[in-house]
Amino acid sequence: GAVVSQHPSWVICKSGTSVKIECRSLDFQATTMFWYRQFPKQSLMLMATSNEGSKATYEQGVEKDKFLINHASLTLSTLTVTSAHPEDSSFYICSARPPGTRKSIGGYTFGSGTRLTVV
Amino acid sequence: GENVEQHPSTLSVQEGDSAVIKCTYSDSASNYFPWYKQELGKRPQLIIDIRSNVGEKKDQRIAVTLNKTAKHFSLHITETQPEDSAVYFCAASRGLGNTGNQFYFGTGTSLTVIP
């Protein structure tokens, strides 16, 4: 089945540094990918919608300059957490939907997630 | 925007009993409602979904019901097994879940099935 690959699976960084997270659709093209953040024991919060070849759409309250999203190709979207701080520590996860998936199946596939710890 | 509420936040049932998780949504334009199961530290996995033109859908031990008028939908798990223990998320989306439409997730229900 369709696979969304996300890297790295975990990262520890120093406060003030930037971290890039990659989300790749391995066997399909994704014009749209979604980025979520999940705090421990909490729900998945949509951060932004990544659109290939255009600017990302951010949800209310998400800082565009802090969470830079680039969707330069049909198979790759990146999320860069700039000037990371301890409060940015979270589980970040992307998702995409392979085109042509039967409409009877939702078909959104999630990446394996990235656990970011800022120290 | 859409607001999805989910109850209960935690649920414990004896093995073999049924479990019911309920969600409400606010956006009347939402027309696609998937349910995801997330085991600890893993990615969410779609377990069942329903579209607004359907009132109920069943897949073996799992069923979902939708009441468009009341804007609520529910997940029903029958004959629960220990491996059903996980966090379950409901979600709502416009556009029948097609590529360009984002999901808004409920707050999750931690289900524990006691052997």
Side-chain angles (χ1 to χ4, degrees):
Chain A
V3 175
V4 173
S5 175
Q6 187 172 341
H7 295 281
S9 57
W10 61 272
V11 58
I12 300 173
C13 71
K14 290 185 177 181
S15 185
T17 61
S18 295
V19 174
K20 180 185 284 188
I21 303 169
E22 292 188 347
C23 182
R24 293 181 185 273
S25 53
L26 293 188
D27 50 5
F28 67 97
Q29 294 182 333
T31 56
T32 304
M33 291 187 179
F34 301 101
W35 287 95
Y36 296 87
R37 179 168 55 184
Q38 186 178 33
F39 293 106
K41 299 184 179 180
Q42 293 188 27
S43 185
L44 292 149
M45 298 295 296
L46 179 66
M47 297 175 66
T49 302
S50 172
N51 302 298
E52 188 270 333
S54 64
K55 291 183 179 180
T57 304
Y58 290 82
E59 293 298 298
Q60 191 172 9
V62 178
E63 298 176 61
K64 301 178 183 181
D65 295 333
K66 181 165 190 62
F67 299 101
L68 299 179
I69 290 174
N70 185 286
H71 196 149
S73 78
L74 287 169
T75 59
L76 174 64
S77 175
T78 61
L79 168 68
T80 301
V81 182
T82 63
S83 187
H85 291 285
E87 56 265 31
D88 298 323
S89 299
S90 187
F91 186 64
Y92 293 86
I93 194 165
C94 64
S95 77
R97 182 179 185 271
T101 307
R102 283 196 296 132
K103 285 192 173 182
S104 61
I105 300 174
Y108 273 90
T109 298
F110 284 84
S112 53
T114 297
R115 185 160 301 284
L116 170 64
T117 301
V118 184
V119 297
Chain B
E2 175 66 279
N3 180 41
V4 179
E5 295 189 356
Q6 183 172 346
H7 299 280
S9 56
T10 60
L11 179 60
S12 293
V13 298
Q14 289 290 137
E15 182 177 0
D17 288 350
S18 296
V20 180
I21 303 171
K22 298 182 179 181
C23 287
T24 61
Y25 61 100
S26 62
D27 186 355
S28 57
S30 290
N31 53 21
Y32 174 68
F33 308 93
W35 286 88
Y36 287 84
K37 175 183 180 182
Q38 186 179 28
E39 298 178 7
L40 189 64
K42 296 186 178 180
R43 73 188 81 192
Q45 299 279 359
L46 177 71
I47 56 172
I48 196 168
D49 58 6
I50 192 167
R51 287 178 163 76
S52 58
N53 58 344
V54 176
E56 183 174 357
K57 185 177 177 181
K58 188 174 181 180
D59 182 5
Q60 299 182 338
R61 298 187 296 108
I62 296 174
V64 58
T65 59
L66 170 65
N67 184 325
K68 284 176 56 180
T69 304
K71 295 201 195 72
H72 66 70
F73 55 112
S74 301
L75 177 71
H76 304 252
I77 306 174
T78 59
E79 301 172 26
T80 54
Q81 301 167 3
E83 51 265 37
D84 294 330
S85 297
V87 177
Y88 291 80
F89 292 99
C90 62
S93 175
R94 294 184 177 189
L96 297 175
N98 286 325
T99 306
N101 295 97
Q102 57 266 53
F103 292 166
Y104 294 92
F105 284 85
T107 46
T109 297
S110 178
L111 172 65
T112 302
V113 179
I114 304 166

